[in-house]
Amino acid sequence: MVVIPAGTFRMGDIQGGGWDDEKPVHQVSVARFAMGKYEVTVGEFVHFLNTVKRRGPEGEPWFETKAEDSDSHIIGSTGNFQIEAGYENHPVNEVSWYGATAYLDWLSEQTGKRYRLPTEAEWEYAARAGTETKYWWGNEIGTNLANCYSSGSEWSGKQTAPVGSFQANPFGLYDTVGNLWEWCADPWHDNYQGAPTDGRICNGNVTGSRLLRGGSFIDDPGGCRAAYRGRGSSDFHRRYRGFRGCADVTL
């Protein structure tokens, strides 16, 4: 975890040319909090699964195992999960919102500290790290700076990269551009009309869909911008979805 300092930023389509759901651009003040330096890895998630010896309720599946029609790197059955060779340090994918929250609830029980998913505002604030460009380093995707389609890395458009394969942003966070979409705590809302200005969860237009941020290895650079917003059903696990944890920090 790294501590993200408190601050105020402009959230949304600052550069212009984005989508209507990224508007209106509005000012948000975020309290100090901690965030995972990396996306949660396959190794960490498998340790959780083999400790609790479960794979989630039938109606709220946590993840997908390795199969012909999946790109999961988790092999096995309940209580006997294994990691596909070479993928222990890759971010865990094919994880649903339910799976992400189950892992963080378990981690909270194990440590006595409260871990959770970031709010959408916290995620964008942390990903921007004090910048107002499309990506924290500028307005062009460049070459070998992130893992997304046509970004010039050895993994681009093919698969996840091991966590920490690219330079960290100014807050010390890795892979906030591409690699995997990351679940947020917020339910999907169509735009920022009436959105909170203090970094809290936005509960407007509550649906079964949750916010996803950051883009993935198969997405074009435009889908990996700091302002770009994605969504997915809470029980949906796909090859390009993962997560990272957050925690409140006592001042």
Side-chain angles (χ1 to χ4, degrees):
M1 307 289 283
V2 295
V3 175
I4 308 299
T8 299
F9 78 113
R10 289 199 294 162
M11 183 174 182
D13 182 28
I14 298 170
Q15 295 295 315
W19 299 93
D20 288 344
D21 62 19
E22 300 169 11
K23 303 168 185 175
V25 175
H26 58 295
Q27 186 166 288
V28 180
S29 295
V30 177
R32 185 169 175 252
F33 68 103
M35 193 170 196
K37 183 183 293 187
Y38 310 112
E39 295 159 321
V40 172
T41 65
V42 179
E44 290 168 333
F45 199 77
V46 166
H47 175 66
F48 153 66
L49 294 174
N50 284 334
T51 300
V52 300
K53 303 187 186 304
R54 295 181 60 208
R55 53 183 307 147
E58 183 175 345
E60 300 178 359
W62 290 348
F63 71 104
E64 182 62 82
T65 54
K66 183 76 176 176
E68 290 183 3
D69 60 347
S70 80
D71 193 38
S72 174
H73 305 299
I74 300 175
I75 304 168
S77 58
T78 304
N80 187 33
F81 296 102
Q82 298 178 2
I83 303 164
E84 184 179 2
Y87 285 94
E88 181 173 7
N89 203 38
H90 283 243
V92 64
N93 63 347
E94 301 248 14
V95 176
S96 70
W97 185 87
Y98 291 124
T101 54
Y103 173 87
L104 294 169
D105 287 346
W106 169 82
L107 188 61
S108 299
E109 293 173 359
Q110 299 300 302
T111 62
K113 301 177 181 179
R114 180 176 175 254
Y115 291 94
R116 57 178 175 80
L117 288 172
T119 69
E120 184 184 22
E122 286 175 332
W123 194 98
E124 185 170 325
Y125 174 70
R128 287 190 178 281
T131 68
E132 292 197 339
T133 46
K134 292 180 180 179
Y135 317 100
W136 61 262
W137 58 79
N139 287 323
E140 302 297 329
I141 194 64
T143 301
N144 204 31
L145 297 174
N147 182 20
C148 64
Y149 191 80
S150 74
S151 62
S153 80
E154 63 183 282
W155 305 280
S156 296
K158 302 173 185 176
Q159 66 169 59
T160 57
V163 297
S165 293
F166 305 94
Q167 185 179 348
N169 77 6
F171 281 166
L173 300 174
Y174 292 83
D175 302 313
T176 56
V177 179
N179 218 19
L180 286 181
W181 285 98
E182 299 178 16
W183 289 108
C184 293
D186 305 47
W188 171 260
H189 42 285
D190 293 335
N191 53 52
Y192 294 134
Q193 294 288 349
T197 59
D198 59 1
R200 289 178 295 130
I201 289 175
C202 181
N203 284 312
N205 298 337
V206 176
T207 68
S209 294
R210 296 281 174 171
L211 261 298
L212 289 152
R213 286 304 204 103
S216 77
F217 64 91
I218 65 170
D219 287 285
D220 290 329
C224 299
R225 295 178 293 111
Y228 193 87
R229 308 171 73 225
R231 63 175 169 176
S233 174
S234 302
D235 62 356
F236 208 36
H237 36 74
R238 296 291 292 273
R239 64 191 294 243
Y240 41 81
R241 294 178 182 176
F243 69 103
R244 76 178 74 212
C246 280
D248 297 327
V249 175
T250 302
L251 296 177

